[in-house]
Amino acid sequence: MTDSPTPRPGPWDQKPGTAAPAKEAVIDRGPPRSAEPPLDKGQHPVWAIVSTLLLGGLIFWWSQSWIMVVAVLFGLLVHEYGHVLAMNRLGMGPARIYIIPFLGGVAKSQRLPNSEWDGVLVSLAGPAFGMLAAIPFLGIYIEPWDPCWRGFIRCWSGW
């Protein structure tokens, strides 16, 4: 080691006898970004109606049944609304539902989940709401096969 007051040059220093590099131009990147992304304004109501009608038309084309169209769209909205309620409850909202023509729907939050567990709860909320919404329809399906219920239908329908 030497006792010289100047430190030895390192690999990042300029080599002796070379010219200093030109300074890089400063690039204007606009105003600084905020920590929060801008809030999503959601799907335009006209596009929401048009996309729902397109999805309903596709379902009708496949099934030839308006009952099936109403049932599938109802199930889709209940499923997505389950995700939206969970997102809003866990502080990820305000969440919104988007209908995607020919595909289905998506629930979109404004913020990321605070933990992985919150993400799991949001993921499970859609199917859970769908199953809860299916319970009355399951009861309607099972009940007509009950002999007592068939007698009630005959009495009121004139069979």
Side-chain angles (χ1 to χ4, degrees):
M1 297 275 275
T2 62
D3 292 332
S4 118
T6 58
R8 289 181 42 193
W12 55 88
D13 292 330
Q14 282 186 336
K15 298 197 184 316
T18 60
K23 290 191 174 190
E24 294 182 24
V26 177
I27 299 172
D28 183 24
R29 300 191 188 271
R33 294 183 182 171
S34 64
E36 287 279 327
L39 290 178
D40 187 11
K41 294 180 181 172
Q43 194 172 29
H44 193 277
V46 172
W47 178 243
I49 291 170
V50 168
S51 60
T52 304
L53 289 174
L54 286 171
L55 183 59
L58 178 70
I59 296 166
F60 182 76
W61 182 67
W62 279 339
S63 68
Q64 298 296 312
S65 169
W66 286 110
I67 295 172
M68 183 67 77
V69 171
V70 172
V72 169
L73 289 178
F74 176 75
L76 173 73
L77 291 175
V78 167
H79 174 91
E80 296 303 332
Y81 196 65
H83 292 303
V84 166
L85 285 178
M87 288 176 193
N88 290 338
R89 178 83 171 146
L90 296 172
M92 297 166 54
R96 302 192 185 275
I97 296 175
Y98 295 90
I99 302 298
I100 303 171
F102 310 118
L103 291 177
V106 65
K108 184 179 176 193
S109 68
Q110 300 291 332
R111 295 171 197 81
L112 294 174
N114 295 328
S115 66
E116 287 185 26
W117 181 244
D118 286 354
V120 169
L121 289 176
V122 168
S123 297
L124 293 175
F129 268 71
M131 285 191 283
L132 287 174
I135 290 172
F137 295 104
L138 181 64
I140 291 170
Y141 173 75
I142 291 172
E143 191 63 29
W145 304 115
D146 182 26
C148 181
W149 182 251
R150 276 187 276 167
F152 179 77
I153 292 174
R154 282 191 197 114
C155 176
W156 286 98
S157 66
W159 281 0

